[in-house]
Amino acid sequence: MSSTVLITGATAGFGQATARRFAKAGWRVVGTGRRAERLDELKAELGESFHPLAFDITDEAAMDAALESLSGPFAEIDLLVNNAGLALGTAPAQDCSLADWQTMIATNVSALAAITHKLLPRLIERKGAIVNLSSIAANWPYPGGNVYGATKAFVQQFSRNLRTDLHGTGVRVTSLEPGLCESEFTLVRTGGNTEAYKSAYAGANALQPEDLAETIFWIASCPPHMNVNQIEVMPVSQSWNGQRIHREG
């Protein structure tokens, strides 16, 4: 019997690669996203194993309607991959847009919590699993990270607290925390600045969405008695920087 995974943010990057990886392995895949045309393209590629749900994840009423529309095997969620999220802006906190901060909180925190809460009964019934996409920004602050890093720290701690509350249910929870990975992330963060995108990844041999998809698939494929609590991954080219010192005079 095949299992069902629901992946948020399946229209690009990690989510799209993860949909392909699980479909290849024979899973049923429910993919969500705002861009219906991209979900339709993925449906054309993956066939009957893929079920698209087009809605804005920050719209709770649309989320409810989409989840209630699921039927048959596609309603039997064995794995939730909370991938939908974004970063906006690279400026220091004092120069940031408050609207950008609020959008990041609405998407990375509130929407993630909402869809998790709505799917917990199904996941508990099926002794399923949750993989939450956090970031190395949850662990290592950097200039311009401000609210983005804080939202990912929420995801990390939420994952740990879910594990505590779900004790004894058989549901597994993982916080996956990637470093530099080449995707639309930088284009979104910089408002579509292609030069910034090229600069971010030039010569870095960054992680690829397929690397993250393979990691998520490995987590999901672990034995039911094994929980991967937290996993941080970086490209070999990336490591920690020294602490900065501001000197007067």
Side-chain angles (χ1 to χ4, degrees), residues 78 97 169 179:
D78 298 281
S97 158
T169 65

mmCIF file of all heavy atoms in Angstrom, residues 78 97 169 179:
data_model
loop_
_atom_site.group_PDB
_atom_site.id
_atom_site.type_symbol
_atom_site.label_atom_id
_atom_site.label_comp_id
_atom_site.label_asym_id
_atom_site.label_seq_id
_atom_site.Cartn_x
_atom_site.Cartn_y
_atom_site.Cartn_z
ATOM 1 N N ASP A 78 -0.201 10.673 5.544
ATOM 2 C CA ASP A 78 0.797 9.968 6.358
ATOM 3 C C ASP A 78 1.988 10.860 6.703
ATOM 4 O O ASP A 78 2.685 10.598 7.683
ATOM 5 C CB ASP A 78 1.315 8.743 5.597
ATOM 6 C CG ASP A 78 0.210 7.748 5.308
ATOM 7 O OD1 ASP A 78 -0.155 6.992 6.225
ATOM 8 O OD2 ASP A 78 -0.308 7.739 4.174
ATOM 9 N N SER A 97 10.965 46.882 6.159
ATOM 10 C CA SER A 97 9.543 47.135 5.996
ATOM 11 C C SER A 97 8.765 46.311 7.015
ATOM 12 O O SER A 97 8.922 45.081 7.083
ATOM 13 C CB SER A 97 9.108 46.747 4.576
ATOM 14 O OG SER A 97 7.731 46.508 4.511
ATOM 15 N N THR A 169 1.949 8.858 20.673
ATOM 16 C CA THR A 169 1.015 8.725 19.546
ATOM 17 C C THR A 169 1.626 7.977 18.364
ATOM 18 O O THR A 169 0.906 7.558 17.461
ATOM 19 C CB THR A 169 0.559 10.105 19.034
ATOM 20 O OG1 THR A 169 1.703 10.796 18.476
ATOM 21 C CG2 THR A 169 -0.050 10.941 20.154
ATOM 22 N N GLY A 179 21.264 25.039 4.995
ATOM 23 C CA GLY A 179 22.020 26.258 4.743
ATOM 24 C C GLY A 179 21.807 26.712 3.309
ATOM 25 O O GLY A 179 20.701 26.591 2.760
#
